[in-house]
Amino acid sequence: MASGNIVPWKPALPAVALDTISDANELAKHAIQLRKREQNQITANFAAGNYEMVATYIWSRTMALLKKQLSALGSAFIGELLQRADIDEHTDIQTAVSETEAISLARDLGMITPTQTMRLLQSQTSIAHFSGATDNVGDDEQLTQEEAILCLRVCVQGVLSHESIGAAEDFHSFRKKLTTETFTKDSAEISKLRQSPYFFVRTAISVLLSLFKSTKGAQLEHVALNAQLIIPLFWKELKEPERWQVGQTYAVEFNEGRKESLKGLHTVLLAVKGFDYVPENLRSATFIKVASSVIAAHQGMNNFYNEPAPMAELASLGTSIPGPALAKCMTAVLCVKLGNSYGVSHAAQSYANEVLKGISADRWLYYLNGRLGEDLVVLSELHAEKPTKNWLALVRPLKIREQDVHGSRIRELIRATNKNDIAKVQSAAMTMYRTAVGVG
Amino acid sequence: MADSRSVSFRAQTTGAINDLLIAEDVSNAKLQNLLVYFAGALLNYKDEGVEFSPNIVICHDVGSFLQSFPGPVSYEIGTVPFEVSSGAQILKDCAPLSGSKWSIYIEQKASTLTYGVFSYFQSPTAVTLEDSMSLSSQIFAILVRRSSLNTIEMRGAKGNSASFLFSTVLDPTDERPPIKKFCTKCVSEIAASDTLSDFYMYFVRLVEVALSNSHGTILVCMNKKKKMTAIPSMKDAVPLKPTLDFFRVFAEYQRQKSADSILDLQRCEELLFGFMKCDGIVAFDTSGQVRAYRVFFKSSTKGDKDVGPIVGGARRRAFEGLKKLGKEHLLAVLFRSQDGTTIHHEAA
């Protein structure tokens, strides 16, 4: 797969090129999703030097608006894309979806560009630090004007300068076509998908699987035929978590008693010989739900105080983590073990260690080969020194062999880890991170 | 000249099984005879005085057959020669192990039969074994089961099926439409939602299973605002306090999908199966709740002239009486006789 930007649905281009603008007043004028009064307040607070306050406000509004746009796609569908069984049609996306999840999803759906994704995630780190941390920020430390401008610019570029409706239109169109047309190998959509970065393929698979659950009759027939074309076409490239997702959907449909969709999924699994990926039970939904709450706590305010409770719950579920939930649980445990640039939640460590005791060498390899390359949460932590040191302390004793991991970048990361080389670990993680967001 | 005839169930059964096997692309006289044996044996199979009606799957390879099922488990019990007489041995060894969660498998080899029991992960709403047969259309497999008191059903992986009705008074009828009609009434006052459509599917299947486990019963559906005591002819009843609210428990299961919520639902199911095995009528309302059981109908009008001659016992007479109660008392009645006759009546 190429890493080019030929995608089945294209991100909306920013209404105006804002990269060269550094004037808060000018930038605020482009934030058309904000009321005039809000735009004026932003300008006034910048002028008064209240950078932290104004950046935090802009960030909160941007995230709220982004989640609002995502929720327009339907909460249940968002839950499907995020593989979170705890999100259904009644769930409030504003509270249930973490900021990183919202940003990643917006990127996957083509609502924002990979560069905007990277910048938003960078701003998220700064805002979370200054707004959430109390003990770790000195009285003389504050968010700088440049950081606040950076935050304002990317928020305006990615979200605030767009009409609230109309986001992900191309995506909508692609999704609709999956239910109204039967593609062939030569269809333009399939050709584009072949040349797309992995996360688009992953999203396409998620969309297809989600449609199995929500469509009936003729629509379901189109979906089933498209799945029988698309999934086998990409099966070899699909990573383990995505393969488990296909198997998990089959198990869910089986246990929900949906005979019609089951036939289509059965044909797909038969074609790819993928029945090994059908989980033995549906316990994974519980694991994913709790692991998501650990990640949300890690990314939220007061994370050191909020991580222990969900981490304890995750540990209490037992060490026999079902395959479909393994990637999410690994991310959750690594969030706790790596911490952030200010340290770790000490109270959560023992619970994380408990879970890690049950992670065999094979399962580590599963995570490293199947998910780390896409794991924005963990890769973003490896920019900072403390989490990187924690990574080395955790992973180095595992003595993972380079030849057991796939891909030059992950191999580089493991090589650097085994050599205890912090700088190279950070550099490899940064490269992987840039690739994951689509700018590498 | 006097005419002398003998009519054999076996001959008819053999013919129908032969047709089924041909439709499933199989031609094997030994297999045909074995299936004929099971058709008769399952009708009233008892071991140590206990009745069993196991599901039996005959296939070439149990591993291939079970790959379509989430979380399959199988235990091999033994191997016997591929002969009709081995059928009795298989039932003797496996029938007591079978139940709602465990079924019997038989792997058919050239000269032997390897048999055992299997199960798979089944939530309360999971696709049934009979419905999932057609998923494995690429392999050979035939399911034999007793679908009601007098009926044996055989279903092949390629989608062909045959029902064998061992009765001289019944016509082969599809019992599903009357059950579905009754269940539609029982959920008619639940607000429309995705949960409702899932619940309806589940509820229909639950009532089907409960009826086939019973030895005949009558189910009634009444308005949820109506009190049992307000119907003079149905005062003799055991009201449930609180009512058995299937929809609430099901919705909870749908929301949580936890082990606790599955157990709650299973507990309700077991209670319903128990109600249906008791004497008397089971009363549902229009919101998917069981309101009472052991309800006994006593006609308030003696000597009804407008009712024609009633064929059947007390249950059938009660059904005919219930039909006259009218919409103000009962909205629907479902009658199931001991021999499997299923009749739905909706109040006009």
Side-chain angles (χ1 to χ4, degrees):
Chain A
M1 265 170 286
S3 59
N5 280 334
I6 305 167
V7 292
W9 50 92
K10 287 179 182 173
L13 290 171
V16 281
L18 302 176
D19 278 349
T20 53
I21 303 175
S22 294
D23 178 56
N25 186 30
E26 235 355 76
L27 287 169
K29 281 180 190 168
H30 291 291
I32 57 173
Q33 282 210 55
L34 298 182
R35 293 181 284 270
K36 188 75 186 162
R37 178 171 52 81
E38 289 176 304
Q39 292 177 7
N40 292 338
Q41 281 173 352
I42 289 170
T43 309
N45 275 294
F46 258 104
N50 301 326
Y51 304 127
E52 262 176 51
M53 203 171 74
V54 71
T56 307
Y57 176 76
I58 293 163
W59 182 256
S60 314
R61 289 285 284 134
T62 303
M63 285 301 108
L65 286 164
L66 182 61
K67 289 179 185 178
K68 190 178 164 192
Q69 288 189 11
L70 288 172
S71 64
L73 297 171
S75 303
F77 176 63
I78 296 297
E80 287 300 325
L81 288 179
L82 293 171
Q83 295 179 50
R84 283 183 53 185
D86 56 313
I87 297 178
D88 60 22
E89 67 268 30
H90 307 299
T91 308
D92 179 16
I93 292 296
Q94 292 288 349
T95 50
V97 172
S98 74
E99 290 176 353
T100 307
E101 282 177 327
I103 295 167
S104 302
L105 207 49
R107 184 276 315 259
D108 291 357
L109 299 177
M111 293 164 75
I112 56 176
T113 66
T115 305
Q116 288 166 354
T117 307
M118 191 181 67
R119 287 176 175 163
L120 278 169
L121 290 170
Q122 284 166 349
S123 289
Q124 182 202 15
T125 310
S126 305
I127 299 294
H129 171 51
F130 285 101
S131 61
T134 48
D135 302 337
N136 301 305
V137 181
D139 288 341
D140 54 340
E141 293 177 315
Q142 59 175 318
L143 194 91
T144 63
Q145 183 181 6
E146 290 74 24
E147 285 169 325
I149 289 287
L150 211 67
C151 174
L152 174 62
R153 189 192 294 122
V154 71
C155 287
V156 172
Q157 269 182 328
V159 180
L160 301 177
S161 63
H162 302 283
E163 293 293 343
S164 55
I165 303 168
E169 267 179 1
D170 288 343
F171 162 74
H172 266 308
S173 149
F174 177 73
R175 188 184 176 208
K176 195 176 173 187
K177 278 185 179 179
L178 285 170
T179 63
T180 54
E181 293 177 23
T182 299
F183 297 142
T184 65
K185 277 185 179 176
D186 303 324
S187 297
E189 284 78 6
I190 302 297
S191 303
K192 285 177 182 176
L193 202 55
R194 282 175 195 263
Q195 299 170 59
S196 299
Y198 185 72
F199 59 78
F200 280 108
V201 176
R202 193 180 63 187
T203 308
I205 301 291
S206 292
V207 170
L208 264 172
L209 296 176
S210 167
L211 288 172
F212 265 109
K213 295 181 180 180
S214 58
T215 53
K216 287 177 184 169
Q219 284 189 330
L220 180 59
E221 280 178 31
H222 284 299
V223 171
L225 289 170
N226 286 328
Q228 285 162 33
L229 172 72
I230 293 172
I231 296 177
L233 204 59
F234 291 95
W235 185 258
K236 280 186 182 168
E237 287 93 8
L238 285 189
K239 294 183 179 174
E240 295 281 300
E242 281 65 62
R243 291 181 176 195
W244 276 112
Q245 193 186 352
V246 180
Q248 172 80 357
T249 306
Y250 178 83
V252 169
E253 292 300 276
F254 190 100
N255 277 291
E256 296 285 341
R258 298 196 190 103
K259 288 179 273 182
E260 290 74 22
S261 57
L262 203 57
K263 281 179 188 165
L265 284 163
H266 188 274
T267 310
V268 169
L269 284 171
L270 208 58
V272 298
K273 296 185 175 65
F275 281 102
D276 287 347
Y277 292 94
V278 177
E280 294 189 352
N281 52 49
L282 299 178
R283 285 191 310 132
S284 49
T286 312
F287 277 84
I288 289 172
K289 183 179 173 183
V290 181
S292 297
S293 61
V294 173
I295 297 166
H298 177 75
Q299 295 186 325
M301 291 184 182
N302 297 323
N303 63 303
F304 295 155
Y305 304 101
N306 293 330
E307 283 174 22
M311 192 62 237
E313 196 183 345
L314 187 59
S316 74
L317 293 177
T319 52
S320 168
I321 302 171
L326 185 59
K328 197 71 143 187
C329 290
M330 286 297 288
T331 302
V333 174
L334 286 173
C335 279
V336 171
K337 289 300 292 177
L338 303 188
N340 57 28
S341 52
Y342 308 103
V344 295
S345 167
H346 295 294
Q349 295 305 300
S350 59
Y351 303 118
N353 291 338
E354 213 174 301
V355 176
L356 282 172
K357 269 186 206 164
I359 306 293
S360 62
D362 282 353
R363 298 202 128 197
W364 268 104
L365 288 177
Y366 167 92
Y367 171 75
L368 293 171
N369 288 322
R371 178 48 74 226
L372 181 62
E374 305 287 320
D375 197 337
L376 294 179
V377 180
V378 169
L379 289 175
S380 65
E381 297 297 2
L382 292 176
H383 296 169
E385 192 179 342
K386 281 186 182 173
T388 312
K389 281 184 176 171
N390 292 334
W391 165 270
L392 289 170
L394 179 69
V395 180
R396 201 162 159 251
L398 298 173
K399 293 180 181 163
I400 293 164
R401 299 184 310 171
E402 277 178 55
Q403 60 266 36
D404 290 338
V405 291
H406 312 315
S408 57
R409 292 187 175 108
I410 181 75
R411 216 170 279 147
E412 196 181 321
L413 180 79
I414 292 302
R415 191 182 307 130
T417 302
N418 290 338
K419 286 181 179 169
N420 208 22
D421 189 333
I422 289 187
K424 281 195 175 168
V425 167
Q426 287 182 324
S427 159
M430 175 59 92
T431 311
M432 289 171 73
Y433 177 81
R434 290 175 64 83
T435 307
V437 294
V439 296
Chain B
M1 191 174 175
D3 188 16
S4 173
R5 288 185 190 187
S6 59
V7 178
S8 160
F9 272 127
R10 179 181 163 78
Q12 291 199 16
T13 305
T14 306
I17 289 175
N18 185 43
D19 292 345
L20 175 69
L21 289 176
I22 290 169
E24 290 287 311
D25 295 334
V26 178
S27 177
N28 188 320
K30 279 186 182 176
L31 177 63
Q32 180 181 304
N33 290 337
L34 188 66
L35 287 169
V36 172
Y37 166 75
F38 282 133
L42 287 191
L43 203 60
N44 185 24
Y45 185 78
K46 286 184 179 173
D47 189 85
E48 302 287 336
V50 181
E51 193 177 322
F52 296 100
S53 51
N55 294 322
I56 301 174
V57 172
I58 302 175
C59 57
H60 289 155
D61 174 33
V62 71
S64 305
F65 171 72
L66 287 177
Q67 74 166 3
S68 303
F69 297 84
V73 186
S74 63
Y75 292 102
E76 188 180 314
I77 305 287
T79 299
V80 286
F82 187 1
E83 290 166 5
V84 178
S85 56
S86 297
Q89 178 69 45
I90 293 171
L91 282 179
K92 181 77 181 163
D93 287 352
C94 299
L97 310 180
S98 65
S100 59
K101 302 290 179 197
W102 289 89
S103 304
I104 300 173
Y105 76 82
I106 301 172
E107 281 181 334
Q108 178 219 315
K109 310 288 182 195
S111 60
T112 58
L113 300 170
T114 300
Y115 61 94
V117 289
F118 72 90
S119 183
Y120 55 94
F121 178 69
Q122 298 168 65
S123 72
T125 49
V127 176
T128 57
L129 181 58
E130 56 270 27
D131 283 336
S132 51
M133 283 302 290
S134 59
L135 289 175
S136 311
S137 58
Q138 79 286 0
I139 61 163
F140 162 74
I142 284 187
L143 167 70
V144 187
R145 68 179 190 115
R146 192 177 77 167
S147 57
S148 69
L149 216 58
N150 294 317
T151 310
I152 298 295
E153 186 193 68
M154 294 190 191
R155 196 176 283 218
K158 292 185 171 51
N160 305 291
S161 66
S163 285
F164 302 90
L165 183 62
F166 292 91
S167 171
T168 54
V169 292
L170 290 176
D171 286 325
T173 51
D174 188 354
E175 64 186 27
R176 288 189 175 184
I179 295 175
K180 278 189 174 177
K181 279 184 194 167
F182 179 77
C183 291
T184 303
K185 214 47 153 178
C186 289
V187 301
S188 57
E189 285 195 61
I190 300 173
S193 66
D194 286 346
T195 307
L196 174 61
S197 55
D198 290 343
F199 175 70
Y200 177 69
M201 271 192 337
Y202 160 78
F203 192 64
V204 169
R205 211 161 59 202
L206 175 70
V207 173
E208 278 173 9
V209 173
L211 284 174
S212 59
N213 285 345
S214 78
H215 289 266
T217 188
I218 294 177
L219 311 181
V220 296
C221 177
M222 54 198 291
N223 192 304
K224 68 175 181 180
K225 286 172 189 159
K226 190 89 182 172
K227 285 188 178 174
M228 207 78 205
T229 49
I231 309 171
S233 52
M234 295 175 73
K235 278 183 177 172
D236 184 3
V238 181
L240 295 178
K241 290 177 187 174
T243 53
L244 194 59
D245 191 343
F246 270 99
F247 182 70
R248 183 187 59 76
V249 181
F250 180 84
E252 194 62 23
Y253 158 71
Q254 283 284 69
R255 193 163 48 247
Q256 289 192 6
K257 295 276 165 61
S258 63
D260 290 353
S261 59
I262 291 178
L263 285 174
D264 279 347
L265 201 54
Q266 285 174 340
R267 281 195 304 210
C268 290
E269 288 171 3
E270 280 175 24
L271 213 47
L272 179 67
F273 296 160
F275 293 157
M276 290 208 192
K277 282 178 182 167
C278 291
D279 267 358
I281 298 160
V282 181
F284 291 79
D285 70 14
T286 45
S287 57
Q289 301 187 33
V290 183
R291 300 273 298 275
Y293 78 109
R294 288 183 68 84
V295 182
F296 291 97
F297 173 74
K298 284 179 188 162
S299 177
S300 51
T301 51
K302 289 185 178 177
D304 292 325
K305 301 288 183 192
D306 54 340
V307 179
I310 297 168
V311 179
R315 186 177 293 121
R316 185 60 188 255
R317 287 173 184 280
F319 174 63
E320 294 302 330
L322 287 164
K323 279 163 68 175
K324 295 198 303 171
L325 277 182
K327 207 174 183 177
E328 67 276 15
H329 291 311
L330 294 180
L331 300 170
V333 187
L334 188 73
F335 169 82
R336 172 75 156 220
S337 72
Q338 192 169 1
D339 59 18
T341 305
T342 310
I343 309 169
H344 171 259
H345 167 78
E346 194 162 325

